[in-house]
Amino acid sequence: MRPQNHPQLTLYYAPVSCALVPFLLLTEAKAQFEIVKINNDAHQNLTPEYLQINPKGKVPALAINNEILTENIAIQLWIAQQFPHANLLPKDPYLQIKAISWISWFASAIHPHLTPINKPQRYCDLPGSEENVRRLSTNLLFKDFEIAENHLINRQWFFDDFTTVDAYFFWCFRRAVLFELDLSPFPNCQLHFERMSRRESTKKVIHYEFTVFQEFTS
Ligand SMILES: N[C@@H](CCC(=O)N[C@@H](CS)C(=O)NCC(=O)O)C(=O)O
C-alpha cells in the first residue's frame, strides 16, 4: 500500500542479515517498497556503488525518496512512525521508550556477540583462535539470552502485543538457530521464535530469503 504522499521506499537487503527486521516491519505495515538485493558473501556491500549508498558497507539501508537512512534502530523507528496503523511500537509513550531500550540493547550487545561467531577471523588473527572467539562470544550471547528468557516467562511478546522488539529479537535468535548453537537453556525464547515463525509476514520474508539464496548460490 502506498497512500498518496507516501515516500518511495527502497530497502537494501541481504539474506540472513539483520535487514530481515525492516523487511518484516514493512511487510507487517503492508507498505509498498522495492528491494535491492546485496550479496554480502560476494562482498557486494563493499563495492563503490554500495558504499555510495552506505559508506559503512552494511545492510540494511533504507532509501526514502532520495534520502538514505542507515542503522537498524533508526530504520525501525522511522517505519513505526510512518505506518502507525501497524502498531509496531507500544502506544504508551513510556512503553515506547522501553521498546527503544530493548532494541538498543539488541543492537549494541546481542548483535555484536553474534558477528564474531559468524566471522571469528575478524576479531583475532592468532593461529587456531577461531574456536576460542566463537566460544567466548557464545558465552556472552547466552548471558544476554538469559535476560530475554526471563522476560519472556508467561509472555507471548516483549510487550502485550507484537512490536518491532519481537521482530528484532526474532532475527537475533534466528542467527543463533542457524549457527546450530544448543539453545535448549532458552525454552521461552524458542517459543517466541516459533510464534514469530508462524506470522504471515515472517513466512513471506523467509520465503523471499530462500529465493534470494537460491539466486545467489546458483
Ligand atoms: N550498526 C548497523 C550494523 C549492521 C550490520 O552489521 N549489518 C551486517 C549484516 S547483519 C552487514 O551488513 N555486514 C556486512 C559486513 O560486515 O561485511 C545496524 O544496526 O544497522
Side-chain angles (χ1 to χ4, degrees), residues 17-18 40 45 57-60 71-73 107 111 122 168 171:
S17 78
C18 59
N40 275 359
N45 56 315
K58 306 279 182 193
V59 291
E71 295 304 316
N72 218 320
I73 295 179
H111 193 169
R122 282 190 185 175
Y168 202 179
W171 175 77

Side-chain angles (χ1 to χ4, degrees), residues 53-64:
I53 304 289
N54 184 0
K56 301 167 195 162
K58 306 279 182 193
V59 291
L62 183 67
I64 306 165

Side-chain angles (χ1 to χ4, degrees), residues 32-173:
Q32 189 180 311
F33 61 103
E34 309 280 324
I35 290 187
V36 173
K37 296 170 248 175
I38 304 292
N39 189 343
N40 275 359
D41 288 339
H43 307 296
Q44 272 179 1
N45 56 315
L46 300 177
T47 57
E49 293 74 24
Y50 189 68
L51 292 174
Q52 292 261 318
I53 304 289
N54 184 0
K56 301 167 195 162
K58 306 279 182 193
V59 291
L62 183 67
I64 306 165
N65 293 330
N66 296 322
E67 284 287 324
I68 302 285
L69 186 61
T70 61
E71 295 304 316
N72 218 320
I73 295 179
I75 295 171
Q76 290 174 45
L77 295 180
W78 186 88
I79 297 170
Q81 198 179 59
Q82 186 74 16
F83 300 99
H85 64 270
N87 297 317
L88 298 172
L89 282 172
K91 286 216 175 355
D92 176 82
Y94 181 67
L95 293 183
Q96 286 183 9
I97 301 296
K98 294 280 276 186
I100 295 170
S101 168
W102 278 110
I103 61 176
S104 304
W105 178 62
F106 298 162
S108 64
I110 295 191
H111 193 169
H113 296 150
L114 288 163
T115 315
I117 301 174
N118 193 30
K119 296 194 162 74
Q121 69 282 5
R122 282 190 185 175
Y123 293 82
C124 185
D125 59 3
L126 289 174
S129 59
E130 295 195 359
E131 271 323 298
N132 288 330
V133 172
R134 279 208 179 92
R135 184 173 47 79
L136 293 173
S137 304
T138 303
N139 288 346
L140 292 169
L141 178 70
F142 280 15
K143 283 207 168 75
D144 291 340
F145 279 173
E146 243 170 68
I147 294 172
E149 176 67 15
N150 288 332
H151 180 75
L152 287 169
I153 294 171
N154 294 329
R155 299 188 74 101
Q156 297 220 2
W157 310 111
F158 276 80
F159 291 88
D160 286 348
D161 299 300
F162 166 85
T163 63
T164 190
V165 180
D166 300 290
Y168 202 179
F169 188 72
F170 170 73
W171 175 77
C172 297
F173 199 76

